[in-house]
C-alpha cells in the first residue's frame, strides 16, 4: 500500500518566499512513496498563485476572499484528505521553517509511535525574538500543555505533521490560529503527540496574525480558553461559579461580624447582604450553566463521532475494523494481502 505525503502551505501574498519553501521540500523520503505539495491561497493580491504553479506544486486551492490562517489550514486538511494523503505536513509560506527536516518530522508517524508531531523551534535560541516574546512563548506553551494534558515544547509552532487518522479526528472552529486549538483537541482526544527539535530559517517578514505583542497574547489566551472550555466546560463554569460564591460569602461574614462584635443595630450594613446575595446568586447561575454546558459537551462528543464517521465515508476509509488501524498496520495488511494473492 503506497504511502502518500502532502505538504500543505497556507499563503497570503507570499510570491517572494514561496519558491524557497517549495524548493526545500524533499521529494524523496524514506518510507514515503509519493510526496505532493498543496498551496492554499488566502485571497492573495500578488502573484502567489501564478508563482505556485510555476514552481510545480501539485495542488492549488484559493479562498474566496481572506478567511484567515485557521480556515485556510482547515481547507488544506480537507483537500489533502480528499487527495488521499496518509500523512499531512503543514508549513508556512514565509520560509520560517526548515522544510528539509520533514523526514524527521514524519518519522514518528511512519514508525507508528505518534499521531501528531510538532516541531520545536527551540525559542530560546531564536535571535529575532525579543526577550519578552521568548518568555511569553514559554509561558504560553506551559499553559497550552496544562489545558491539553500534553508536554509539547513549542505549542505555537505551525510546523507539524499529522497522520491521516489524526487529521480526520481534529476539527477547527476558531478564526485566529489553528495551532492552539488543534493541540488542545489532540491532547483531550488522547492522540499520541511527539515533538522534534529544529532550527528556524532567518526571518523574512513580520507576522500577519497580530500587529503587536499585546494583541497576540490577548487573542492566543482567548483561543486557549475557548479550546479548553469546549472539552472541560463543567470545570471552567464550576471554578468561576465557586469563585463568585466564595466572594459573595465575604459580605455575609462581614455582616455577621458586625452582629456578633459591634451592635445589634446593623441596619446600616444591609448593603453587605445585598452585595453578597448578588454575587452568590451569580455564582449559582454559573454552576447551573456548567451543568448545562456539561450536558452539551456530551452531545458535542456524539456529534463529533457522527462527523468522524461521515468524514471517513467521504474520504473513502474503507471497512469499520480498519478505521483505527495505524499507518504501519495498514501497510502490513496490504503486504500480506498481496502475498496471499
Amino acid at each position: 500500500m503506497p504511502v502518500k505525503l502532502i505538504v500543505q502551505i497556507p499563503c497570503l501574498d507570499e510570491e517572494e518566499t514561496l519558491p524557497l519553501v517549495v524548493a526545500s521540500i524533499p521529494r524523496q523520503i524514506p518510507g514515503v512513496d509519493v510526496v505532493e505539495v498543496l498551496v492554499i491561497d488566502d485571497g492573495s493580491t500578488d502573484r502567489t498563485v501564478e508563482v505556485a504553479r510555476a514552481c510545480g506544486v501539485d495542488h492549488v486551492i484559493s479562498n474566496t476572499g481572506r478567511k484567515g490562517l485557521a480556515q485556510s489550514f482547515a481547507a488544506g486538511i480537507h483537500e489533502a484528505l480528499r487527495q488521499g494523503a496518509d500523512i499531512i505536513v503543514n508549513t508556512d509560506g514565509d520560509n520560517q521553517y526548515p522544510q528539509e527536516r520533514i523526514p524527521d518530522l514524519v518519522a514518528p508517524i511512519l514508525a507508528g509511535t505518534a499521531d501528531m508531531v510538532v516541531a520545536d523551534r527551540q525559542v530560546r535560541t531564536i535571535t529575532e525574538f525579543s526577550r519578552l516574546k521568548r518568555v511569553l512563548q514559554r509561558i504560553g506553551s506551559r499553559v497550552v500543555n496544562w489545558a491539553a494534558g500534553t508536554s509539547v515544547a513549542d505549542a505555537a509552532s505551525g510546523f507539524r505533521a499529522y497522520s491521516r487518522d489524526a487529521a480526520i479526528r481534529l476539527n477547527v472552529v476558531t478564526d485566529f490560529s489553528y495551532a492552539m486549538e488543534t493541540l488542545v483537541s489532540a491532547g483531550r482526544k488522547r492522540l499520541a503527540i511527539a515533538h522534534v527539535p529544529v532550527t528556524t530559517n532567518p526571518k523574512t517578514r513580520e507576522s500577519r496574525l497580530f500587529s503587536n505583542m499585546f494583541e497576540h497574547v490577548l487573542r492566543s489566551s482567548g483561543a486557549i480558553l475557548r479550546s479548553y472550555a469546549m472539552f472541560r466546560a463543567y470545570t471552567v463554569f464550576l471554578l468561576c461559579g465557586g469563585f463568585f460564591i466564595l466572594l459573595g460569602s465575604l459580605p455575609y461574614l462581614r455582616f455577621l461580624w458586625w452582629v456578633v462584635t459591634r451592635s445589634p443595630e446593623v441596619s446600616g450594613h444591609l448593603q453587605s447582604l445585598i452585595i453578597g446575595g448578588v454575587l452568590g446568586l451569580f455564582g449559582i447561575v454559573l454552576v447551573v450553566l456548567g451543568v448545562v454546558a456539561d450536558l452539551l459537551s456530551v452531545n458535542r462528543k456524539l456529534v463529533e463521532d457522527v462527523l468522524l464517521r461521515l468524514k471517513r465515508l467521504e474520504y473513502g476509509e474503507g471497512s469499520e475494523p480498519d478505521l483505527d488501524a495505524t499507518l504501519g498496520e495498514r501497510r502490513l495488511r496490504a503486504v500480506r494481502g498481496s502475498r496471499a494473492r
Side-chain angles (χ1 to χ4, degrees):
M1 181 179 181
V3 175
K4 177 186 282 191
L5 165 66
I6 292 184
V7 181
Q8 68 170 40
I9 314 171
C11 290
L12 173 61
D13 297 334
E14 304 288 8
E15 65 175 359
E16 295 183 2
T17 55
L18 184 58
L20 300 175
V21 177
V22 176
S24 60
I25 296 174
R27 292 299 185 127
Q28 300 293 327
I29 298 176
V32 176
D33 301 289
V34 180
V35 178
E36 296 179 354
V37 179
L38 164 66
V39 167
I40 306 100
D41 170 47
D42 189 28
S44 297
T45 57
D46 65 358
R47 299 179 59 255
T48 294
V49 173
E50 292 83 349
V51 169
R53 298 190 188 282
C55 290
V57 303
D58 303 277
H59 312 282
V60 178
I61 59 175
S62 297
N63 295 334
T64 54
R66 294 187 179 181
K67 305 296 185 183
L69 179 59
Q71 294 305 309
S72 296
F73 168 83
I77 291 291
H78 169 73
E79 181 63 19
L81 290 171
R82 197 179 69 84
Q83 294 293 338
D86 296 293
I87 304 174
I88 303 170
V89 169
N90 185 86
T91 190
D92 283 353
D94 62 357
N95 199 39
Q96 173 189 174
Y97 301 116
Q99 283 73 224
E100 62 273 8
R101 294 294 305 277
I102 288 177
D104 298 320
L105 202 63
V106 303
I109 295 177
L110 289 170
T113 59
D115 302 301
M116 174 179 171
V117 184
V118 181
D120 173 15
R121 296 171 294 176
Q122 305 178 83
V123 173
R124 294 181 182 180
T125 66
I126 302 179
T127 57
E128 290 89 350
F129 283 10
S130 65
R131 182 177 180 180
L132 176 61
K133 187 172 183 177
R134 288 197 292 267
V135 171
L136 291 175
Q137 289 281 4
R138 291 199 297 271
I139 294 175
S141 292
R142 290 177 181 176
V143 172
V144 173
N145 283 323
W146 170 80
T150 58
S151 57
V152 175
D154 186 7
S157 173
F159 191 33
R160 302 180 175 191
Y162 301 85
S163 69
R164 182 176 181 84
D165 184 65
I168 292 176
R169 288 177 182 272
L170 299 178
N171 301 300
V172 178
V173 297
T174 184
D175 293 327
F176 176 53
S177 174
Y178 63 89
M180 308 297 184
E181 182 181 358
T182 54
L183 186 56
V184 173
S185 179
R188 290 301 170 183
K189 291 180 179 180
R190 301 294 187 268
L191 298 182
I193 306 172
H195 55 94
V196 174
V198 301
T199 56
T200 58
N201 295 323
K203 184 177 180 179
T204 58
R205 60 166 174 78
E206 296 295 333
S207 174
R208 296 191 179 117
L209 279 177
F210 51 89
S211 56
N212 55 65
M213 188 60 62
F214 176 76
E215 181 187 357
H216 176 54
V217 172
L218 187 63
R219 298 188 68 178
S220 296
S221 300
I224 296 170
L225 179 60
R226 181 180 182 183
S227 300
Y228 181 75
M230 283 194 300
F231 294 92
R232 291 293 185 270
Y234 182 71
T235 302
V236 173
F237 280 100
L238 184 63
L239 289 175
C240 293
F243 171 77
F244 281 101
I245 291 174
L246 178 62
L247 193 63
S249 68
L250 296 180
Y252 277 90
L253 293 176
R254 177 177 179 271
F255 183 83
L256 182 63
W257 180 79
W258 275 96
V259 171
V260 174
T261 64
R262 291 300 180 93
S263 169
E265 182 61 41
V266 293
S267 59
H269 301 282
L270 292 178
Q271 64 269 25
S272 296
L273 298 181
I274 297 174
I275 295 174
V278 171
L279 291 174
L281 181 61
F282 185 63
I284 293 173
V285 170
L286 287 177
V287 172
V288 173
L289 287 176
V291 175
V292 175
D294 188 57
L295 295 175
L296 290 175
S297 69
V298 174
N299 182 67
R300 180 177 181 272
K301 291 178 183 179
L302 296 175
V303 172
E304 282 201 334
D305 184 62
V306 173
L307 180 60
L308 175 63
R309 295 176 183 276
L310 288 175
K311 283 183 177 180
R312 282 170 164 164
L313 289 174
E314 179 182 0
Y315 301 132
E317 284 296 285
S319 60
E320 185 70 18
D322 291 333
L323 292 183
D324 293 320
T326 65
L327 179 61
E329 289 171 343
R330 292 201 301 269
R331 294 190 70 183
L332 182 59
R333 290 175 188 175
V335 171
R336 289 174 175 172
S338 63
R339 290 176 178 174
R341 289 192 295 271

